[in-house]
Amino acid sequence: MQYFDYRYHGTSFEQTYRCYPASFIDKPQIENGDKIIMPPSALDRLASLHIDYPMLFELHNTATERVSHCGVLEFIAEEGLIYMPYWMMENLLLKEGDTVRIKNVTLPKGTYVKLQPHTSDFLSISNPKAILETTLRNFSCLTTGDSIMVAYNNKKYYIDIIESKPSSAITIIETDCEVDFAPPLDYKEPERPVSSVPSTKTSTEDQAAPAEEPTFNPFTGSGRRLDGKSLKHQPASVSSPSGSKEKQPAVSNGGGQASTGSTSQNSSRQSQGKLVFGSNASRGPVLQKHKEAPKEEQPPKEEQKFQAFTGKKYSLKG
C-alpha cells in the first residue's frame, strides 16, 4: 500500500516525504554538503518538467514553519523517503520519520554572504578560508538563518548564515560570491586596563615637583683659611689706599728680622682678617720691601672712593 499520493500540480514539482538522516543509508559523504537523496519517481517527474539545472529544492517543515534549501545528489532512496544531512534536520527541527514538504525552486546567484562561526577555535585553524572554500564546493545554496557544518581534522564547526545577497536564499554554483565574517558567538573583547588612583596622584606630584625646587644662588657660602684654622671674622672688604698703608707690616731693609714679628702682632693680624702664610711667627716674612710708594693725603671720609691696584710693591726675591 502506497502511503504518499504522488500528485503533481501544473509544471512544478511538489511532494511530501518522510526524512531520515544519512546514517540510515551507506552515504556518509552527504553530511559534508547540502544535497539530499530522493526516490527514483521524483527523477521521472522532474525529467518531464522544463526546470532549470542544477536542481534546487525548498524544504518546508509545516509543523514548525521552518524553511531551508538544498540540492540533490542521487535518486536511489526508497519510495516515500528521503535522506538528508543531520545538520539540515536540526535546522528544520525535524526528527527521524517526520514529514517535510519539497518543491523545486529557482534561486538567484549569490553575490555576498556573511558568516558567523559559533566558536573562536574555527579562526585558529591555519587557513580557515581555504577550508571554507573546499567545504562550500559541496553546497548548492545557502539560506539566511541556517547553520551549516564544516568538518575539519575530525572536528565539526558550525557556522551561521546571518546575511546573503541579493536574496535570503542564494545559489553558490558557478558564481563569484564575496564572503565576510562576523565575530564568533563566544568572542569577548579584551578588557582595557584602568589606571589606578594612586598612580594618578603620583604623576600629579611628579609634575608639581619641579616647581618646588629651590633656585640657584651663586657666590654663597663661608670663607676658609689656607692654613686650615677656623676663621673668626669674615674677611674685610677692599680697603682704601690709606687704610692699606696703615695695616702693612713693617719690614727691615737688612732682611731677616721684622720689627713687628712677635706673636702678639700675628694674633692681632689674624683678628683683622688678614691671610697669614704659615703659623710660625719666628720665621719672619720672606717678602722684602722694595720701594715704598709716596704717601698721599688722605681724602675726607665722605669723599673716599674705591681705587683699584693701589698700595706698596714687593719683590719675591730674597
Side-chain angles (χ1 to χ4, degrees):
M1 180 179 179
Q2 189 70 33
Y3 182 79
F4 290 97
D5 182 16
Y6 292 94
R7 290 178 297 180
Y8 302 100
H9 305 282
T11 58
S12 63
F13 174 85
E14 187 173 356
Q15 185 61 46
T16 302
Y17 295 97
R18 289 191 179 274
C19 63
Y20 290 91
S23 57
F24 278 59
I25 192 173
D26 190 17
K27 297 289 182 179
Q29 64 271 21
I30 67 173
E31 288 289 348
N32 298 325
D34 67 340
K35 296 180 175 62
I36 63 175
I37 296 179
M38 301 178 69
S41 60
L43 177 60
D44 296 338
R45 176 59 182 167
L46 290 168
S48 63
L49 299 175
H50 299 284
I51 61 174
D52 297 329
Y53 288 88
M55 298 179 185
L56 301 177
F57 301 92
E58 177 188 276
L59 303 175
H60 183 202
N61 184 357
T62 56
T64 59
E65 296 298 328
R66 296 294 297 266
V67 177
S68 184
H69 297 81
C70 67
V72 60
L73 180 64
E74 292 178 318
F75 295 89
I76 60 172
E78 294 86 350
E79 293 297 331
L81 305 179
I82 61 171
Y83 300 95
M84 65 174 60
Y86 185 71
W87 63 266
M88 292 184 64
M89 295 182 63
E90 291 179 334
N91 285 334
L92 295 170
L93 302 179
L94 292 172
K95 296 180 180 179
E96 299 175 2
D98 288 349
T99 59
V100 59
R101 192 74 176 175
I102 298 180
K103 70 176 181 178
N104 68 306
V105 292
T106 300
L107 300 178
K109 291 186 176 182
T111 58
Y112 173 83
V113 62
K114 191 171 185 179
L115 309 177
Q116 184 177 33
H118 284 197
T119 57
S120 301
D121 54 355
F122 176 76
L123 303 180
S124 63
I125 299 175
S126 58
N127 194 348
K129 181 180 178 181
I131 300 301
L132 188 61
E133 289 178 352
T134 303
T135 303
L136 291 180
R137 291 173 185 172
N138 299 323
F139 282 71
S140 302
C141 49
L142 297 174
T143 306
T144 301
D146 282 358
S147 295
I148 64 175
M149 190 270 294
V150 176
Y152 175 72
N153 199 14
N154 297 327
K155 190 174 181 179
K156 296 179 180 180
Y157 301 93
Y158 288 90
I159 301 175
D160 291 342
I161 312 298
I162 59 177
E163 186 180 357
S164 61
K165 294 179 181 180
S167 65
S168 59
I170 57 174
T171 176
I172 57 173
I173 298 176
E174 297 179 357
T175 181
D176 294 331
C177 187
E178 179 184 355
V179 179
D180 192 11
F181 282 90
L185 295 177
D186 62 350
Y187 175 76
K188 294 181 180 180
E189 294 185 359
E191 297 180 358
R192 297 181 179 179
V194 181
S195 58
S196 60
V197 177
S199 61
T200 306
K201 292 182 178 180
T202 305
S203 60
T204 306
E205 293 176 357
D206 294 341
Q207 295 176 358
E212 299 176 357
E213 293 183 358
T215 58
F216 173 70
N217 295 325
F219 307 109
T220 58
S222 58
R224 295 290 185 270
R225 289 172 57 91
L226 295 178
D227 57 358
K229 293 184 179 182
S230 61
L231 186 63
K232 296 180 180 180
H233 301 281
Q234 292 294 333
S237 59
V238 180
S239 58
S240 61
S242 61
S244 62
K245 290 193 293 182
E246 293 175 357
K247 296 178 182 179
Q248 289 290 343
V251 182
S252 62
N253 294 332
Q257 292 182 355
S259 60
T260 58
S262 61
T263 307
S264 60
Q265 290 175 341
N266 289 336
S267 61
S268 63
R269 284 185 295 174
Q270 293 177 4
S271 63
Q272 295 174 1
K274 294 272 186 184
L275 294 179
V276 179
F277 294 91
S279 60
N280 190 357
S282 61
R283 293 169 57 186
V286 181
L287 300 177
Q288 182 179 359
K289 186 193 301 182
H290 181 68
K291 186 178 180 180
E292 294 184 357
K295 294 183 178 181
E296 298 178 0
E297 294 181 0
Q298 183 176 358
K301 292 184 178 180
E302 59 272 9
E303 296 179 359
Q304 289 182 359
K305 295 182 179 180
F306 172 73
Q307 297 180 5
F309 305 106
T310 59
K312 298 178 182 182
K313 298 181 180 180
Y314 292 89
S315 175
L316 296 177
K317 298 181 180 180

